[in-house]
Amino acid sequence: MKKNDKILVTGASGMIGSALVRKLKADGYNNILAPSHKNLDLCSQDSVNKHFKTNKPDYVFHLAAMVGGIHANNEFPANFIRNNSLMQINVIEASHKFKVKKLLFPGSACTYPKMAPQPIKESEFLNGMIEPTNIAYAAAKINGIVMCQSYAKQFGLKVVIPMPTNTYGIGDNFDPKQSHVIPALMKKFAEAKKNKKKEVIIWGTGNALREFIYVDDVADSFVFLMKKYNSNEIINVGTMGEISISKLANKIAKTVGYKGKIVFDSSKPDGAPRKCLDSNKLKSLGWSANISLDAGLEKMYKHHFNH
């Protein structure tokens, strides 16, 4: 990418999108297109085509998506699969039609099989059953990945498909119906501290293992891959560090300053028992994460609750 190339970032107001725009600006890219939903309806092919025809982006980061945790995926599966499928189909088609130089479409760790060998290698994609609690979101992502690779094969569209692990950080979604585990727990503990609650109840056994990566690291990896990676094969983006939900809860409670009791409700689902990505492929290219979980949680808490 050249500094004056037109770079379209869909979902620029989201957590990863806003971090990516910050990163691009910091790196000296000065021709960034970051349309709002009001100016670009990604669910409309006509709207997307018009935007591409008018603005002629050279590079596209398609980050717009409806996202959420177990509760949101369980309550709104039709919304997840419909909206995400429409948006990605329209952007991929327009990227081909208007001849963009390269399209980055991120997958998601949840598209890997529930019982995949750990840490999960890229070769495990489509090699088993998906965790049912987020099947609608994962199905849309899988379709987008296959569509990108199909357009690459048939039309020569240059695509990059990073597979980021669980992302958190500044700009995260704290809506209890849509949030992922870190913002959900941070909000719970912050409210419990404020209201002087003696205990906080958390879904699941606390035994599930997860890997987390700070949003600024994800944005940095996306820019790195757009510039350096010239394959349409999936590439994992993670830290290769695991932590149990129970240890994570205690770490967040400490960050927040909550000193009450933490109770795990084992009648509620854990999701996948373990999920850690093998990111050695990306590491071999010369990239690795810089921000530790402790540092990331501190940044996130100070920004959203102590701002």
Side-chain angles (χ1 to χ4, degrees):
M1 291 191 300
K2 296 177 182 177
K3 300 299 182 183
N4 61 346
D5 281 332
K6 283 189 177 180
I7 301 172
L8 171 61
V9 180
T10 68
S13 62
M15 176 176 63
I16 298 178
S18 57
L20 177 62
V21 170
R22 291 195 302 270
K23 168 65 179 173
L24 289 169
K25 287 181 177 179
D27 285 357
Y29 294 95
N30 51 30
N31 212 346
I32 302 168
L33 305 169
S36 65
H37 176 69
K38 181 180 179 181
N39 297 317
L40 174 58
D41 180 4
L42 292 170
C43 289
S44 164
Q45 187 72 74
D46 287 343
S47 176
V48 173
N49 285 349
K50 183 179 179 181
H51 186 87
F52 274 66
K53 185 177 181 180
T54 301
N55 293 285
K56 299 179 175 61
D58 296 299
Y59 293 88
V60 177
F61 291 84
H62 178 50
L63 306 185
M66 181 179 179
V67 298
I70 292 174
H71 178 79
N73 276 271
N74 186 54
E75 291 292 317
F76 313 110
N79 293 7
F80 275 93
I81 196 164
R82 177 189 181 277
N83 295 343
N84 288 339
S85 295
L86 279 173
M87 288 189 284
Q88 66 203 25
I89 287 170
N90 294 340
V91 170
I92 295 167
E93 171 63 21
S95 295
H96 157 59
K97 184 175 182 178
F98 295 96
K99 296 179 171 57
V100 303
K101 293 178 181 176
K102 194 181 282 188
L103 164 69
L104 182 143
F105 174 78
S108 169
C110 72
T111 60
Y112 283 126
K114 178 178 180 178
M115 303 308 293
Q118 304 286 327
I120 306 172
K121 294 182 181 294
E122 290 89 349
S123 58
E124 289 300 319
F125 183 64
L126 298 183
N127 201 30
M129 292 296 293
I130 305 300
E131 161 60 40
T133 55
N134 57 16
I135 187 66
Y137 175 82
K141 275 293 186 185
I142 290 169
N143 182 62
I145 292 168
V146 175
M147 187 173 178
C148 281
Q149 292 175 331
S150 298
Y151 271 59
K153 180 179 180 180
Q154 185 173 338
F155 301 122
L157 178 65
K158 290 186 177 180
V159 297
V160 180
I161 309 170
M163 198 76 93
T165 192
N166 299 299
T167 306
Y168 73 100
I170 291 173
D172 219 327
N173 189 344
F174 289 86
D175 183 337
K177 290 185 177 181
Q178 295 184 312
S179 59
H180 288 102
V181 61
I182 286 181
L185 291 178
M186 192 169 283
K187 185 174 183 179
K188 269 195 172 189
F189 287 126
E191 290 179 347
K193 178 186 175 183
K194 180 181 178 181
N195 297 321
K196 299 180 179 179
K197 288 187 177 181
K198 293 183 178 180
E199 67 176 31
V200 169
I201 299 173
I202 297 173
W203 276 28
T205 63
N207 296 326
L209 294 171
R210 292 290 182 271
E211 174 192 22
F212 298 95
I213 187 169
Y214 191 69
V215 65
D216 287 357
D217 278 334
V218 173
D220 186 64
S221 76
F222 284 4
V223 174
F224 176 89
L225 288 168
M226 187 67 105
K227 293 193 292 187
K228 303 286 187 181
Y229 191 60
N230 295 304
S231 169
N232 59 36
E233 294 297 317
I234 290 166
I235 185 164
N236 288 338
V237 177
T239 63
M240 295 189 70
E242 292 179 280
I243 186 170
S244 70
I245 296 300
S246 62
K247 288 184 178 178
L248 175 68
N250 280 282
K251 194 178 283 285
I252 295 174
K254 183 179 179 181
T255 300
V256 171
Y258 175 72
K259 297 180 180 179
K261 186 178 181 182
I262 300 174
V263 178
F264 290 90
D265 182 357
S266 59
S267 69
K268 296 294 191 295
D270 274 332
R274 185 185 178 198
K275 192 178 290 178
C276 179
L277 302 186
D278 184 336
S279 298
N280 280 310
K281 184 177 177 181
L282 177 56
K283 190 175 181 180
S284 71
L285 297 177
W287 188 92
S288 59
N290 289 313
I291 302 169
S292 69
L293 182 56
D294 286 333
L297 291 173
E298 191 69 28
K299 284 174 180 279
M300 184 178 174
Y301 178 66
K302 283 184 176 179
H303 181 84
H304 287 284
F305 294 92
N306 222 6
H307 198 278

